[in-house]
Amino acid sequence: MTQLHPRVYERVEHLPQGFSIAALEPMRAPAGAVLCPPDRFDVIDVKNPFMAGNAGHVDKELARQEWGALRDAFSKAGARVELLKPLDSCEDMVFCANTALLGIDAEGRKTCLPGRMTFDSRRPEVDVIVAWARANGYRIVDDFADPGLRFEGSGDAIWHPGRRLLWGGYGWRTDPQVYRGVAEAFGVPVIALALTDSTFYHLDTCFVALDERTVLVHAAAISSDGVEIVRRVFERVVEVDADEARRFACNATLLGPGVVAIDRRASATGSRLRELGYDVVSLDTGEFLKSGGSAYCMKNAFF
Ligand code: ARG
């Protein structure tokens, strides 16, 4: 197995000669998912284009039901579910993907990188997931990048399933300079992808790795260098068009190996995934789409 140097790759030419996923060190699958109940969920401002015009239009009871179905889907798939306690003033806290990146470092230690939120109103959320991580045996690495740089956790930094490699989106909510420190903290290479369309403001809105070989991607939202490297590394690239991507097709989440939850509106992508042999759980995340999020970013996978 090849232990690749913890460094940042941005172009195909940066990859070492003969680079292949199968030759990378294995990484264990997540044990479960941290979720945060949507007790305080609401849309009160516009942090991303999907939120425009939605202030005051959230059906809270429906949001509760939709969230409950996602939680149950994780449990049914055999994932352990851990819950954060929602903070009163944090209406976005249900999107707990953004406030940290959890993983395993090169020495096998559970490691947590706290998020550095773009919006002030989301900063208090970070302490809650970091406290959870600390209580659950994670080492917390705070100094992975200069203070002042932004990092929105697992919304932008995504583990390659089963391998010691991270994909790092940047441009709208995360600054690219953080990825050197992210690579060092986990002892893994990071493939950095520039996000080029403000609609797809987190990597998890246009890219989701489903297994070692397969990725769902809306290529128009990623730079051409980025798309080239995605096509070089993944054996199977499932293309998602703009309409499906706006319905959050790429914010599908793995519930367990081979089991994918996706919003029912992204039905073309759901069918495609069924044809490819995945067990697809179709969910309604309509209230959360009003805030620019769906299944993927409503959880933070832990190991
Ligand atoms: N309203 C939230 C925000 O703009 C949504 C976050 C969705 N997260 C994600 N990783 N896509 O911050």
Side-chain angles (χ1 to χ4, degrees), residues 45-105:
D45 58 6
V46 181
K47 299 185 183 77
N48 66 64
F50 296 93
M51 298 174 87
N54 285 331
H57 292 303
V58 171
D59 179 335
K60 310 275 170 65
E61 185 40 43
L62 186 53
R64 242 210 162 318
Q65 289 169 23
E66 291 177 355
W67 179 86
L70 177 66
R71 178 204 52 209
D72 293 350
F74 272 109
S75 302
K76 208 172 149 220
R80 261 171 56 210
V81 172
E82 292 274 331
L83 298 182
L84 301 177
K85 194 169 171 310
L87 294 174
D88 275 353
S89 60
C90 289
E91 74 283 356
D92 278 309
M93 198 167 167
V94 67
F95 303 113
C96 61
N98 303 145
T99 43
L101 175 64
L102 305 173
I104 308 287
D105 77 358

Side-chain angles (χ1 to χ4, degrees), residues 41-43 45-48 51 91-92 95-98 117 119 122 125 152 154-156 173 201-205 248 251 288 290-294 296-298:
F41 174 63
D42 206 350
V43 174
D45 58 6
V46 181
K47 299 185 183 77
N48 66 64
M51 298 174 87
E91 74 283 356
D92 278 309
F95 303 113
C96 61
N98 303 145
M117 310 308 287
F119 294 97
R122 295 203 63 185
E125 299 175 33
E152 292 210 352
S154 69
D156 271 322
R173 297 292 192 88
Y201 62 97
H202 276 135
L203 184 60
D204 71 10
T205 63
F248 277 74
N251 206 256
F288 303 100
K290 295 176 182 170
S291 188
S294 184
Y296 190 94
C297 53
M298 289 162 71

Side-chain angles (χ1 to χ4, degrees), residues 144-164:
F144 63 94
D146 288 341
L149 290 174
R150 298 167 311 149
F151 175 60
E152 292 210 352
S154 69
D156 271 322
I158 297 182
W159 284 101
H160 192 100
R163 295 289 164 182
R164 295 194 53 74

Side-chain angles (χ1 to χ4, degrees), residues 216-227:
L216 264 184
V217 70
H218 175 50
I222 299 175
S223 74
S224 53
D225 283 340
V227 173

